[in-house]
Amino acid sequence: NGRGFNPDAPAFVPNFNAPAFVPGQAWGAQFNVPPPAAPPPAAVPQPDNWDEEMPAEAAPVETPAAPEPVMEAAAAAPAATPAAAPAAPAEKREDAVQALGKKFERAVYVDDGSHKEHVNIVFIGHVDAGKSTIGGQLMFLTGMVDKRTLEKYEKEAKEKGRETWYLSWALDTNEEEREKGKTVECGRAYFETEKKHFTILDAPGHKSYVPNMINGANQADLAVLVISARKGEFETGFDRGGQTREHAMLVKTAGVKHLVILVNKMDDPSVLWDEERYKEIQERLTPYLRKCGFNPKTDITYIPCSGFTGGFLKDRPDNVDHGSWYTGPCFIEYIDNMLPSISRDYNGPVRCIIHDKYSEMGTVVIGKMESGCVVKGQNLVIMPNRTVVQVMQIWSDEVETDRVVCGDNIRFKLKGVEEAEVQNGFIICSPDALCSVARVFDAEVIIMDHKSIIAPGYSCVMHIQSAVEEVIVKNVICTMDKKTNEKKKARFVKQDEKAILRFESSEAFCLEPFKVLPQLGRFTLRDEGKTIAIGKVVKVVGSGAEAN
């Protein structure tokens, strides 16, 4: 058509290994080849109207000849520069390795002064001792529940003939719990003071729901044992078959070091703030708590109170005659100012125990941080399945945040895992420091309440952190003297004995030796609806093959 196109030119073949084009560089220098000889002028077809279309000074530029030399250079480049070809992939590979390292980097805790000390409080005790009522009263006194909401609860409770239960409705949220007046699930709420952030875990008191109570105790730093001072109620809860004894022992097994005993219902007509009744409860309870492992001088604090009126929870009662003999601190004053600080491992590997999960625009897990620090966008691993996940959103006690640390109760929205793939007792870990997973392990066990002997082949249910596993005693390694720890060979174990046993579970689960991480190394054994033993993991053996 007279514009210099060459219809016979070869097809264009792109050269992906050619160096990048550098403007202003000589043509041959880019390809390390000498420029081809210029074609003779006669061979280049010149259009008739060339001078009319282009300015005179641009006319000598041989534009039509350019396609052919470029094709020659493209063909020559692979042969001429074999060493230069791998350079680009090598750089990419190096970048990929660096990105992977950064992707799994551990978050570092920096104290910016905005983080209040977090204390998890579990309320335990016999059924109807007043745990939920005290929890509701604390939320009202600290401003977490307004008066209007409580008046609404009071009106609804009155209509159902449950007018004294309205405070407990702040924590007992479902209809079954409100109808029966019994906590079933472990209720959760929080309140703050000037110095600390507190999470309330309202454990069920009924013996049918002890597994739920164990789940709550495993998340706690401080236990509040609620005792009913009403005549007959304390005796029912404390005597054999009541939950006061079992709950006290279970929280000690769960690793709770400090116990506050709230002697509730002191305003009851059968008590009327009687100091003698308060002292009687103290004298009967202290020896048993000492037997559980609590030191009465350093680990136990008694406070009389009335959950219904709020006396001695935040302030002293309005009537000066009520409890005038008690000169100690009120409950909130004690936990805010006098509670010993709790040691936390903020810069350790991430260990977050999953207590619950649900699906809401993605997989959301509920748990407690036992070690480390997690930030939004961080990549972590769920054990024992080794599922790599990314943290998309973080909540700490219902408040969305960008960072949580050891001790916080959390909710994570995770990317990379389905809800069905997560179970209670799974552990979220740092990719560079995964927790142990095993089926066979050795443990030091104290038999608390079991009439028969325990020998190889005996099976029971183990509660370890929030996991529930069926285990079998594979072997009785030895019994131990409780005072001297002297070991003796034995074929079986009986009540009140201490022993080292080898256990095997049907499936592998997450655990750690007690000395490595106590929260993953202590457990409770239950059989036929009662707690039979407590123990701690001494050695993680592995899969079933090592046990034989």
Side-chain angles (χ1 to χ4, degrees):
N1 58 0
R3 290 192 177 271
F5 293 110
N6 181 7
D8 300 322
F12 173 67
V13 180
N15 176 15
F16 296 107
N17 295 317
F21 169 68
V22 181
Q25 195 172 5
W27 180 87
Q30 293 188 54
F31 300 95
N32 297 324
V33 291
V44 180
Q46 299 286 347
D48 297 332
N49 57 348
W50 185 268
D51 292 327
E52 293 175 12
E53 291 187 11
M54 296 184 69
E57 63 267 27
V61 180
E62 298 177 354
T63 308
E68 286 182 39
V70 169
M71 294 311 301
E72 288 171 23
T81 57
E91 281 177 18
K92 282 182 184 174
R93 225 179 4 257
E94 190 181 338
D95 289 346
V97 171
Q98 285 176 354
L100 191 70
K102 193 166 184 184
K103 180 180 175 185
F104 291 108
E105 228 172 49
R106 195 185 290 184
V108 178
Y109 171 71
V110 179
D111 188 3
D112 54 6
S114 64
H115 188 265
K116 286 185 177 180
E117 185 183 353
H118 195 150
V119 180
N120 299 282
I121 305 174
V122 64
F123 283 86
I124 58 169
H126 191 63
V127 65
D128 283 340
K131 299 180 292 298
S132 301
T133 299
I134 289 173
Q137 185 72 263
L138 284 171
M139 290 173 69
F140 170 62
L141 293 172
T142 53
M144 298 308 296
V145 175
D146 57 21
K147 195 165 187 181
R148 190 174 172 185
T149 307
L150 276 187
E151 284 169 356
K152 176 177 158 242
Y153 289 159
E154 189 172 9
K155 186 182 173 186
E156 289 174 6
K158 208 167 187 178
E159 286 170 3
K160 293 186 176 182
R162 304 277 192 270
E163 56 192 284
T164 58
W165 293 359
Y166 73 95
L167 283 162
S168 68
W169 286 16
L171 286 161
D172 292 344
T173 51
N174 69 44
E175 283 304 315
E176 183 196 353
E177 291 180 327
R178 291 182 174 185
E179 196 67 43
K180 293 180 178 177
K182 288 184 178 67
T183 305
V184 176
E185 296 290 331
C186 198
R188 186 187 295 269
Y190 69 95
F191 66 91
E192 285 194 351
T193 60
E194 285 183 19
K195 298 178 183 176
K196 295 177 184 175
H197 177 103
F198 296 95
T199 300
I200 297 173
L201 299 158
D202 180 31
H206 199 278
K207 63 181 178 183
S208 304
Y209 309 121
V210 169
N212 294 351
M213 177 266 158
I214 293 172
N215 199 355
N218 283 323
Q219 301 171 55
D221 304 307
L222 168 72
V224 176
L225 177 60
V226 181
I227 300 290
S228 172
R230 186 181 283 164
K231 290 279 167 69
E233 285 193 2
F234 164 68
E235 287 75 12
T236 305
F238 185 66
D239 292 342
R240 192 168 286 275
Q243 297 314 113
T244 303
R245 287 170 177 266
E246 187 174 14
H247 281 202
M249 191 240 310
L250 288 171
V251 291
K252 186 62 181 173
T253 310
V256 174
K257 292 184 175 68
H258 302 285
L259 188 67
V260 176
I261 294 105
L262 286 181
V263 183
N264 191 25
K265 303 189 184 180
M266 290 296 287
D267 59 328
D268 188 79
S270 68
V271 183
L272 291 175
W273 296 95
D274 179 22
E275 187 181 4
E276 291 305 313
R277 177 65 170 165
Y278 174 75
K279 284 182 176 175
E280 179 195 344
I281 290 169
Q282 209 169 330
E283 286 165 7
R284 289 192 62 186
L285 200 54
T286 304
Y288 178 74
L289 296 176
R290 188 188 285 113
K291 188 182 168 189
C292 287
F294 291 102
N295 184 334
K297 290 180 181 175
T298 56
D299 302 343
I300 298 172
T301 305
Y302 284 90
I303 301 174
C305 75
S306 167
F308 191 65
T309 64
F312 288 115
L313 289 181
K314 188 180 181 186
D315 301 304
R316 302 181 81 83
D318 296 332
N319 189 331
V320 290
D321 295 333
H322 290 174
S324 56
W325 42 266
Y326 176 71
T327 55
C330 295
F331 177 66
I332 290 178
E333 183 190 345
Y334 174 79
I335 60 175
D336 203 24
N337 300 314
M338 302 178 188
L339 187 70
S341 62
I342 297 149
S343 60
R344 309 274 194 204
D345 187 6
Y346 295 118
N347 289 316
V350 173
R351 293 287 183 271
C352 178
I353 299 171
I354 296 175
H355 295 292
D356 205 353
K357 44 89 189 245
Y358 61 92
S359 185
E360 188 181 280
M361 304 284 286
T363 303
V364 180
V365 297
I366 300 170
K368 185 192 173 193
M369 292 284 294
E370 296 292 358
S371 171
C373 171
V374 172
V375 295
K376 198 171 176 180
Q378 192 173 341
N379 290 279
L380 301 165
V381 178
I382 296 181
M383 295 294 281
N385 292 351
R386 294 177 179 266
T387 310
V388 178
V389 294
Q390 187 176 15
V391 180
M392 306 304 291
Q393 273 180 287
I394 300 174
W395 294 267
S396 175
D397 275 333
E398 313 300 323
V399 179
E400 191 165 353
T401 180
D402 290 334
R403 179 192 77 168
V404 285
V405 298
C406 174
D408 288 350
N409 284 287
I410 57 87
R411 276 193 297 148
F412 291 155
K413 182 176 275 189
L414 301 176
K415 178 183 177 185
V417 68
E418 295 297 322
E419 185 208 353
E421 297 169 0
V422 181
Q423 292 180 22
N424 290 7
F426 279 19
I427 311 288
I428 301 174
C429 303
S430 298
D432 61 339
L434 302 176
C435 69
S436 303
V437 176
R439 285 181 57 226
V440 181
F441 60 95
D442 296 344
E444 189 180 295
V445 177
I446 297 174
I447 313 301
M448 308 287 289
D449 182 12
H450 190 65
K451 291 187 174 70
S452 180
I453 62 167
I454 292 177
Y458 175 77
S459 66
C460 56
V461 175
M462 168 185 279
H463 293 261
I464 182 165
Q465 22 97 9
S466 64
V468 182
E469 299 289 337
E470 190 166 331
V471 294
I472 296 172
V473 176
K474 289 286 286 182
N475 192 12
V476 177
I477 296 171
C478 64
T479 57
M480 300 171 71
D481 187 281
K482 281 187 177 181
K483 290 180 181 175
T484 63
N485 278 345
E486 185 187 341
K487 297 177 181 177
K488 291 180 183 175
K489 282 197 170 184
R491 295 171 62 187
F492 59 84
V493 193
K494 55 185 187 291
Q495 187 165 324
D496 292 328
E497 280 192 335
K498 185 177 180 182
I500 294 180
L501 309 178
R502 176 160 289 184
F503 291 95
E504 182 176 1
S505 67
S506 52
E507 292 181 9
F509 63 97
C510 300
L511 75 167
E512 291 281 13
F514 182 81
K515 63 183 178 185
V516 175
L517 188 66
Q519 292 90 331
L520 300 187
R522 54 170 78 93
F523 60 85
T524 306
L525 297 178
R526 286 176 60 81
D527 191 18
E528 296 177 354
K530 65 180 181 182
T531 302
I532 61 163
I534 57 174
K536 58 185 182 183
V537 177
V538 177
K539 179 184 173 187
V540 176
V541 179
S543 63
E546 291 93 327
N548 299 323

